[in-house]
Amino acid sequence: SPGGKTSYICQLMRNTGVVLANDLKAERQKATVANLHRLGVRNAVTCCKDGRKLAPSVKNSFDRVLLDAPCSGLGVISRDPSVKVQRTIGDVNRCAHLQKELLLAAIDALNHKKAKSGGGCMVYSTCSVAVAENEEVVNYALSKRDIKIVDAGLDFGKPGFTRYQHKRVHPSL
């Protein structure tokens, strides 16, 4: 549901601090605002901006960032089989390009000076299983910014690919 991750983060923060919830789509953000009000969230600020354009005004501002990137949706085929026939390789490539731009902007929004105290940390998430939208996007960011992958400490999932077809990505993936 729109605002599900935002409301959960606000709950983890016990309604303290500030969470900036940005979504380009006004209709989704309207639903997010309604859900935040319904759940009694008091520490969220919402806006509708292109994340790539928002970044310069919030450079080095955030301790943590969750980038739930727009994607092709290839990971939800079991829930929505129409994705299988509606998406093209061109769609995946367009999404990957946008994701790379958004990821760099999100990294630039992090306050890297707080990295030693737990700040300067981000999560990149998609609902796609495409290597082009996951490993290749993160690999791109690793080559463009001075960042590193850290273990999330979760006991599920599988490591990312370090090789796919003729491509190689950073071994920390």
Side-chain angles (χ1 to χ4, degrees):
S1 69
K5 294 177 194 79
T6 300
S7 59
Y8 181 64
I9 290 168
C10 291
Q11 178 188 11
L12 290 175
M13 292 174 62
R14 300 178 192 269
N15 259 337
T16 62
V18 177
V19 173
L20 176 64
N22 181 54
D23 196 313
L24 181 59
K25 296 181 179 173
E27 281 306 308
R28 283 186 54 83
Q29 201 63 310
K30 190 175 174 183
T32 296
V33 169
N35 283 329
L36 294 175
H37 283 292
R38 182 177 56 80
L39 294 168
V41 171
R42 297 183 312 275
N43 62 329
V45 175
T46 61
C47 61
C48 296
K49 303 280 184 197
D50 181 328
R52 299 167 296 181
K53 294 177 182 160
L54 178 67
S57 62
V58 294
K59 190 171 178 79
N60 301 315
S61 296
F62 300 110
D63 296 337
R64 293 173 179 81
V65 171
L66 166 63
L67 173 57
D68 188 17
C71 68
S72 66
L74 293 177
V76 296
I77 290 174
S78 62
R79 277 196 322 226
D80 182 5
S82 69
V83 170
K84 216 176 347 185
V85 293
Q86 290 178 345
R87 298 294 184 270
T88 66
I89 295 297
D91 292 332
V92 172
N93 291 336
R94 278 187 291 283
C95 284
H97 180 77
L98 173 60
Q99 291 160 350
K100 288 173 183 175
E101 292 178 334
L102 287 169
L103 184 53
L104 293 184
I107 291 166
D108 293 343
L110 283 169
N111 183 345
H112 302 283
K113 293 177 184 168
K114 290 193 174 182
K116 289 188 172 96
S117 63
C121 183
M122 78 169 297
V123 171
Y124 170 73
S125 125
T126 71
C127 62
S128 176
V129 293
V131 171
E133 294 183 86
N134 292 298
E135 288 88 349
E136 288 182 17
V137 172
V138 174
N139 195 57
Y140 176 80
L142 286 166
S143 73
K144 297 292 183 183
R145 298 291 188 270
D146 183 20
I147 58 171
K148 66 179 180 177
I149 305 288
V150 295
D151 188 339
L154 302 173
D155 60 353
F156 64 89
K158 297 184 185 216
F161 289 109
T162 55
R163 303 160 130 191
Y164 181 72
Q165 296 175 343
H166 64 282
K167 298 177 182 176
R168 303 286 180 267
V169 296
H170 196 275
S172 66
L173 289 171

